[in-house]
């Protein structure tokens, strides 16, 4: 995807340029010189914030009863309740639990720009999760996607039934 000349995403799927976000643009304008979004993060983000964000982008995954569950969505009791309620259907259990509602964690104005920010974050998380799942489970295929909902973009993933490479991918 490419940025539009104005730095904002366009209807053809261009990416939202961080430097065009008002918070970052104000900081850059007040700084002088040639700072960018990386400099913005350098001056506004602690090591703990970087670490927490890196774990969102590259999470751990829990294996349970043939399911792969995002670590932040997994608790044994809740998993078992959903597993029973959904009759052990791996894809339905994963679809129920592996959901990250971006707007619940990223505050953005309810405007076109705010929605573009949420979508950019969601697309990035989905891309990183897909790579992380391929690395953690090389013999298993996953469907990682961003869905647009009334709550904004939601990142989620499920196993692809029968989607394995070099083995069943389920017995790990």
């Amino acid at each position: 995807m490419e940025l539009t000349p104005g730095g904002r995403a366009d209807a053809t799927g261009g990416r939202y340029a961080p430097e065009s976000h008002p918070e970052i643009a104000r900081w850059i304008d007040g700084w002088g010189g040639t700072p960018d979004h990386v400099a913005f993060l350098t001056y506004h983000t602690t090591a703990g914030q970087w670490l927490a964000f890196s774990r969102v982008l590259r999470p751990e995954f829990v294996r349970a009863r043939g399911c792969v569950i995002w670590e932040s969505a997994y608790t044994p009791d809740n998993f078992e309740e959903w597993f029973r309620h959904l009759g052990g259907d791996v894809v339905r259990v994963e679809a129920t639990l592996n959901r990250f509602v971006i707007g619940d964690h990223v505050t953005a104005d309810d405007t076109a720009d705010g929605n573009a920010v949420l979508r950019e974050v969601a697309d990035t998380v989905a891309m990183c999760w897909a790579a992380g799942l391929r690395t953690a489970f090389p013999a298993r295929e996953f469907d990682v996607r961003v869905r647009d909902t009334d709550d904004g973009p939601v990142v989620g993933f499920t196993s692809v039934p029968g989607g394995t490479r070099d083995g069943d991918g389920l017995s790990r």
Side-chain angles (χ1 to χ4, degrees):
M1 287 186 217
E2 296 296 320
L3 297 175
T4 62
R8 288 202 165 45
D10 65 16
T12 63
R15 294 187 64 203
Y16 190 97
E19 290 83 359
S20 68
H21 187 271
E23 181 182 3
I24 297 172
R26 279 192 304 276
W27 182 81
I28 289 171
D29 289 345
W31 179 267
T34 57
D36 62 6
H37 58 279
V38 176
F40 177 85
L41 287 170
T42 300
Y43 287 93
H44 290 87
T45 310
T46 66
Q49 291 167 331
W50 274 108
L51 184 61
F53 188 63
S54 70
R55 191 62 173 257
V56 169
L57 293 180
R58 192 178 63 135
E60 296 291 323
F61 302 103
V62 178
R63 289 178 247 183
R65 293 187 174 230
C67 297
V68 175
I69 307 297
W70 173 38
E71 67 178 333
S72 289
Y74 180 81
T75 60
D77 290 343
N78 187 52
F79 172 81
E80 288 299 329
E81 183 177 327
W82 280 110
F83 193 84
R84 279 191 303 278
H85 178 73
L86 297 173
D89 184 322
V90 169
V91 173
R92 288 179 60 205
V93 171
E94 290 174 343
T96 300
L97 296 177
N98 294 329
R99 298 177 70 251
F100 184 43
V101 181
I102 300 299
D104 286 352
H105 306 282
V106 177
T107 303
D109 295 332
D110 189 14
T111 62
D113 275 351
N115 293 333
V117 167
L118 294 178
R119 184 59 193 228
E120 177 71 16
V121 171
D123 288 344
T124 301
V125 169
M127 181 182 71
C128 292
W129 282 14
L133 287 161
R134 278 192 307 273
T135 299
F137 304 96
R140 191 168 179 167
E141 291 185 43
F142 294 91
D143 179 20
V144 181
R145 64 179 58 193
V146 177
R147 289 185 309 114
D148 292 315
T149 72
D150 291 340
D151 296 324
V154 176
V155 180
F157 70 89
T158 61
S159 298
V160 174
T164 60
R165 298 181 282 273
D166 300 325
D168 70 1
L170 298 175
S171 60
R172 296 175 173 244

